[in-house]
Amino acid sequence: MGQTESPKLPRGLTIRKHRHGETINITFTYKGVKCREPLSNLDVTPKNIKYAERTLGEIHNKIERGTFVYAEYFPRSTRLKIFGNAAADKTVKMYLDEYLVICETRKLSPSTIVGYTKCRNALASLHVFPASELTPAALKAWIQSQKTTLKTIRNQLSFLRSALDEAVTDGILQINPVSLVTASRYQSDKSETESSYVVDPLSPAEVDALLSSAGNKQWENLFRFAIQTGLRSSELCALRWRDIDFIEKTAHVQNASVVGVIKGTKTKAGTRKVELSEEAIIALADQKPFTFMKDDTVFEDPKTNKPWASADAIRKKAWVPTLRKAGIRYRNPYQTRHTFATRLISGGVNLFWLATQMGHKGPEMLFRHYGRYLKEYDGNTERKPDRVSDRN
């Protein structure tokens, strides 16, 4: 009988033969010590060899990041006497970093990863705590020291709670301390009020100054279209010429560019057809010579001749310089959306129609954000035909 050929093994894997059969072993170096560990209960098959190779890759990655916990992979290893329970010494920051890696592995959206990274940075004063020593009292003091909104604090604590769930899994914590505190109990109303977002639309005179001061014709087209349609900057970045219907005079909004990645709109209501005013059509006509023949995105960065990388790129490269040149008090580019909404509301436009144009499920969001502008709303059920055709 011929002998069965041994499978070809990746680097770092060996097969140990013993009287009960064969065992896959993995070899790696940790803290200067060469380690060889068996993967028990795994038959030597091509599938299990691939699994062992992936496991070894995970270990190498965690060793590089400083997040490897020996006991997590080999809880019965005799080498634990050498390395001890490394998880016991892990700080809050190490768990936050580890959870970010988990989120990236799960391929969460880029915007979510960016948000989580900001949460980690906001928790900086807690980073040095050993996870085993983070108490509800320490969290209470942290909450009371914050100057942001209650919603922001809750988001940051939610991220911390998820990260420390790993410490519970490691056996370092019996109870996650974040679950024992309530942010609203220790956060004053003052910071909530002071940090609340302000609707601060541009006046008609400021709109004229903005458009006349744009340092580039493409910037002017972008700003005019934004003010006339209420599209978010992320939606403007992803708008393509194929989304424009010049016959029906509509723009089909179905994508947004978030951190340079094109993705669908945030909600089903966000995917919508926006009716275009004459001013919006003019902006598109003026933009045609620059990008129409490329058959891609409508608006691009004239300095790179490529689509805008992100909403923040628009703000830094075009919006801020134009405001300075025009002498306009700074507001963020999102105020073009508020300018669109408040002008139409003050003109008595149908709120249900406006909600669909802005990508809201209903007018509740309009009441929440634009309540003080509704005094001029006369309850019309028919929107005005010239709702946005007049120039600011």
Side-chain angles (χ1 to χ4, degrees), residues 7-10 13-15 22-26 39-56:
K8 186 177 181 180
L9 298 175
L13 268 63
T14 57
I15 294 176
E22 297 178 326
T23 302
I24 301 173
N25 288 265
I26 60 177
L39 298 181
S40 304
N41 303 319
L42 285 183
D43 294 330
V44 180
T45 65
K47 182 179 179 180
N48 286 338
I49 289 173
K50 283 289 185 183
Y51 169 77
E53 184 180 15
R54 289 196 301 270
T55 301
L56 183 59

Side-chain angles (χ1 to χ4, degrees), residues 192-211:
E192 178 81 29
T193 302
E194 289 178 347
S195 302
S196 59
Y197 183 78
V198 176
V199 173
D200 191 8
L202 301 172
S203 69
E206 287 176 321
V207 170
D208 287 339
L210 177 78
L211 298 180

Side-chain angles (χ1 to χ4, degrees), residues 306-340:
K306 294 180 180 180
W308 285 102
S310 64
D312 198 48
I314 292 177
R315 184 185 69 83
K316 291 179 179 178
K317 292 186 174 183
W319 180 256
V320 171
T322 303
L323 289 186
R324 288 174 179 169
K325 183 178 178 181
I328 299 173
R329 174 174 51 82
Y330 179 79
R331 284 92 116 190
N332 62 11
Y334 205 86
Q335 297 299 337
T336 59
R337 183 169 165 85
H338 296 322
T339 302
F340 168 78

Side-chain angles (χ1 to χ4, degrees), residues 219 222-223 226 232-238 257 299-301 307-322 333 336:
W219 294 1
L222 174 66
F223 298 153
R232 302 172 178 88
S233 294
S234 59
E235 294 169 340
L236 292 167
C237 290
S257 178
F299 301 106
E300 68 177 17
D301 182 349
W308 285 102
S310 64
D312 198 48
I314 292 177
R315 184 185 69 83
K316 291 179 179 178
K317 292 186 174 183
W319 180 256
V320 171
T322 303
T336 59

Side-chain angles (χ1 to χ4, degrees), residues 345-362:
I345 289 173
S346 296
V349 76
N350 184 308
L351 297 186
F352 287 90
W353 171 83
L354 180 58
T356 63
Q357 295 296 285
M358 299 188 71
H360 299 316
K361 291 182 180 179

